[in-house]
Amino acid sequence: MSILIYAESAEGKFKKTAFELASYAKKIAGETGTTVTAITINADDSQALAKYGVDKVLKVTSDKLKAFNAKAYADAVKQAAQKESAKIVLFSSNTDSLYVAPLVAVGLEAGYASNVVALPTSLSPFQVKRNAFSNKAFNVTEISTDVKVLAVAKNSFGLVESPASLTEEAFAPSLNDGDFTVTVDSSEKVSGKVSIADAEIVVSGGRGLKGPENWGLIEDLAAALGAATACSKPVSDLGWRPHSEHVGQTGKPVASNLYIAVGISGAIQHIAGINSSKVKVVINADPEAPFFKVADYGVVGDAFDIVPKLTEKIKAFKAQNS
């Protein structure tokens, strides 16, 4: 019996969430006296997971799974859970995994809880703390089924090193042709930039920037911080920035360690999508902007004056401390 995690990767490289999930699983394994097994799909360096406590890797290598397919991925994880007799199956609460996890729960006849933000508050009965109401509140969910499926919120646990001696095992799940009725003809990927999903810091801009020609302010600040760039829904709707950068309830959710909003008023849908970020900084000329009510730090002033000065200060600080 083992705790199973789906260690997500992109282009063969593990995402940070895979290591966070391994850290989370290792803590539960220590309390329950079991081990941690990871299933990987077309990932390169399985040994990287050993640093965070993974004891065993079921390594899936398949050309059919090069493009993300929720049904096929769910079948692979379900079969891995059955093989390992896993009673707890863990995912990250990110876009792809939130498609896969419910399908796995159905296949295993398991209870399912998403947006889990802490270790189980109780193992018997099994209870977990979760975000609720667009991250405005918490609830404690009890799962009474034999198998439990959890999706852990990004940045809710952190990375905890706990080196283990990892073994690898090739795993070839039986894939149903019916899982591949939808095919991917092509995909477009942004390269050379920090992705919003994996970013520790996000710098986001709104209509206060007045036009796409001024987006250099956001990009320069993001480059100085090693951050991802993002935008509000109106900016995306106006075509100033691609939809892939739109964050909020109807865009991509953000759970970064630092979120900087420049010229964004703070509509409720935007706040809901970034509310899981740990520190929120707002720069806005309007002192009545709703965003200030949820900000940890607020700067009232002209972004065209403040942001370049902030960028230069950050560059100077890094130069002095490099």
Side-chain angles (χ1 to χ4, degrees), residues 232-318:
S232 62
K233 185 176 187 298
V235 166
S236 175
D237 289 345
L238 288 166
W240 295 1
R241 300 301 296 171
H243 180 69
S244 60
E245 291 191 8
H246 163 210
V247 298
Q249 193 171 34
T250 56
K252 290 186 176 180
V254 171
S256 56
N257 287 327
L258 173 62
Y259 183 82
I260 302 176
V262 181
I264 300 176
S265 61
I268 189 170
Q269 294 89 348
H270 189 88
I271 300 297
I274 62 90
N275 221 20
S276 290
S277 294
K278 292 183 178 178
V279 177
K280 295 175 274 293
V281 177
V282 176
I283 301 171
N284 202 299
D286 179 9
E288 301 301 320
F291 221 138
F292 283 114
K293 295 179 181 179
V294 299
D296 297 286
Y297 301 95
V299 181
V300 178
D302 186 347
F304 293 95
D305 179 44
I306 293 167
V307 174
K309 291 179 180 178
L310 176 59
T311 302
E312 290 307 312
K313 289 288 186 182
I314 291 169
K315 288 179 179 179
F317 177 83
K318 284 191 167 184

Side-chain angles (χ1 to χ4, degrees), residues 102-115:
L103 295 174
V104 172
V106 170
L108 295 174
E109 297 184 350
Y112 169 57
S114 61
N115 297 315

